[in-house]
Structure formats: C-alpha cells, structure tokens
Amino acid sequence: MTVYAVVLYSHLLGAVALFVGYGIEWTASSLFRNASSTEQVRAWLRVFKVSPPLSGVGLGVLLISGGYLASLSGAMKQGWIPATLLAIGVALILGFAFILPRMGRIRKALPSLNEPVTAELRARLSDPILLSAIRIRVLLAAGIVYLMAAKMPFTPSLIALAIALVAGLLLSLPILRRASST
C-alpha cells in the first residue's frame, strides 16, 4: 500500500464523514420541526449534536488530504481549487453564522420538563433561514464533489458552484413559502 493510496482513501473517508454529518443535520432539522413535545425536540437535538464534530473532522481530513493530493498532481494551480476553497468558506459561514447559533437558541428555549411545543419554539424549529442554510450547504458540498471530478478552470467552477447554490435555494422554496404564508 502506498502513501498516495492511504491519503486518497482518507480523502474519500473525509467526504463520507462530511456528507453523513450534513445528512444528520438535514434529517434532524426536518424531523424536529414536527415534534409535538419538547422531549421529542431534545431527542432530535441529541442526534443533531453528532453532526458538527463528524462534519468538522471530515472537513479537516478533506482539507489536509486534498492539499497533499493537489500538491502531488500540480492541481494547486488549477482554477477549481480556489473555487472549492471559496465554497468551503461559504459553507463554514453558513454553519457558524446561521446554523449553530440558531441551534443554540433552540436548545436554550427548551424548558427543563417535557411540555408541548410552544408557538415560540415552533417558530424557532421552523426557522426558514436555519433550514435553508442546511440545504444550501449540502448542495454546495455536492457542487464541490462535482468540481473534484470535473477539474474545471476558475470561472466555470464558480458557475457550477452558483448552480449548486441555486439548487439549494430551490430546495428551500417550500420552506420559505411556508414561512411567508404564516
């Protein structure tokens, strides 16, 4: 087994960890919106809590292994690498500025006892910005995987990422419509 094979395998495992973490976020946020009691919300928040460490470690492994692989192949000079780094920055901003603070506010809004979900908590659970940020981040990550396969110049890479971003927004339309009708 070569170092290259181990690093490539690590890179793939990092991608799996990232997508599993993002999938947990999407699933938990979709399910706790329909919770009828605060105990149900707590249960889905416990599931959600697995996501940040899992996706964070996955992203770290992706960056380290990807940097190594790119340095071996000369890909650091290709346009898709800076476009990918830009998309990773956007995904991190979505997580740290929009997702994690809102999840923290949901946790703080939970009463200590099991009670029915209040209207205020229901609004937090159905926050269209939270739910949209999660979906956009997943589609952005899928766009990055496309760039890894296509290895395009910078401008076409940005266009591909813009398409992924728009796809994430389109997947969020039902959520945004629901929020505007209430």
Side-chain angles (χ1 to χ4, degrees):
M1 182 172 273
T2 65
V3 171
Y4 178 84
V6 171
V7 173
L8 181 60
Y9 180 69
S10 298
H11 195 66
L12 294 172
L13 282 181
V16 169
L18 181 76
F19 277 98
V20 168
Y22 283 2
I24 289 169
E25 282 182 5
W26 188 317
T27 302
S29 67
S30 294
L31 293 171
F32 67 49
R33 284 190 348 249
N34 298 319
S36 59
S37 70
T38 55
E39 192 54 41
Q40 289 174 342
V41 174
R42 258 189 217 86
W44 286 116
L45 284 172
R46 283 191 296 273
V47 171
F48 183 93
K49 198 174 183 179
V50 172
S51 173
L54 182 61
S55 57
V57 167
L59 180 60
V61 169
L62 278 168
L63 288 171
I64 292 167
S65 61
Y68 177 78
L69 293 170
S71 71
L72 287 181
S73 66
M76 289 296 222
K77 298 174 187 155
Q78 296 177 2
W80 68 275
I81 296 285
T84 295
L85 293 174
L86 183 65
I88 290 169
V90 170
L92 287 171
I93 289 169
L94 288 171
F96 286 114
F98 297 103
I99 298 170
L100 291 177
R102 283 171 168 76
M103 295 306 292
R105 286 193 288 273
I106 288 169
R107 279 189 185 88
K108 286 180 183 168
L110 286 173
S112 58
L113 300 174
N114 186 22
E115 299 175 13
V117 173
T118 64
E120 177 190 338
L121 181 57
R122 176 76 54 215
R124 289 186 191 275
L125 295 171
S126 299
D127 181 351
I129 293 175
L130 168 68
L131 303 171
S132 297
I134 289 170
R135 282 149 181 75
I136 290 167
R137 202 157 68 148
V138 169
L139 271 291
L140 225 91
I144 292 170
V145 171
Y146 174 74
L147 294 184
M148 288 170 52
K151 298 182 181 0
M152 300 183 297
F154 185 69
T155 302
S157 293
L158 287 180
I159 292 168
L161 290 171
I163 290 169
L165 192 88
V166 168
L169 286 169
L170 289 173
L171 280 174
S172 300
L173 280 178
I175 297 163
L176 297 169
R177 283 189 186 127
R178 232 180 290 135
S180 67
S181 68
T182 56

